[in-house]
Each structure stands twice: as C-alpha cells, then as structure tokens.
C-alpha cells in the first residue's frame, strides 16, 4: 500500500521529503524479497532458510534503532 501511495507522491502530504520516501520504499521491499528468496532456498537447506527468515525482523528492528535520535 505504501508503494501505491508514494508513487509520484500523489497520496502524500505536501512538503514530504522525496529522499525519505525513496528510503522507505526500499526498506518496504526488503522483506518480501528476502521471504521469496529464502522460501526458494528452503528447497535446498532448511537451516539456511530459517536464518534468512530470522533476518527480516532483525533488519527492521535495526532500522528503527538507527533512526532513533
């Protein structure tokens, strides 16, 4: 939904920062890309797939910590 809302800035408030929006779009794409990748990896290695699935919440938690002033 964020990708749809932020496409061209048509559904964002006036004065939004395009740099921040592009970063958020990138961060929101990481989860689905990693999940698809490690679902396919599960065909070869259950353990490696589990590590990959654990990476996604850790990635988002670290992004939140990094932005905290």
């Amino acid at each position: 939904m964020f990708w749809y809302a932020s496409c061209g800035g048509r559904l964002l408030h006036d004065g939004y920062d395009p740099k921040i929006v592009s970063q958020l779009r990138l961060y929101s794409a990481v989860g689905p890309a990693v999940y698809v990748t490690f679902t396919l990896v599960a065909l070869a290695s259950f353990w490696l797939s589990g590590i990959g699935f654990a990476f996604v919440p850790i990635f988002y938690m670290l992004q939140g910590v990094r932005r905290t002033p």
Side-chain angles (χ1 to χ4, degrees), residues 9-31:
R10 62 177 177 245
L11 296 176
L12 299 175
H13 287 286
D14 293 334
Y16 69 91
D17 186 358
K19 183 178 177 183
I20 292 174
V21 170
S22 67
Q23 286 179 340
L24 291 173
R25 287 177 64 130
L26 175 64
Y27 294 151
S28 69
V30 169

Side-chain angles (χ1 to χ4, degrees), residues 32-45 49 53:
V34 171
Y35 283 136
V36 167
T37 301
F38 283 101
T39 297
L40 296 173
V41 169
L43 298 172
S45 171
S49 178
F53 278 105

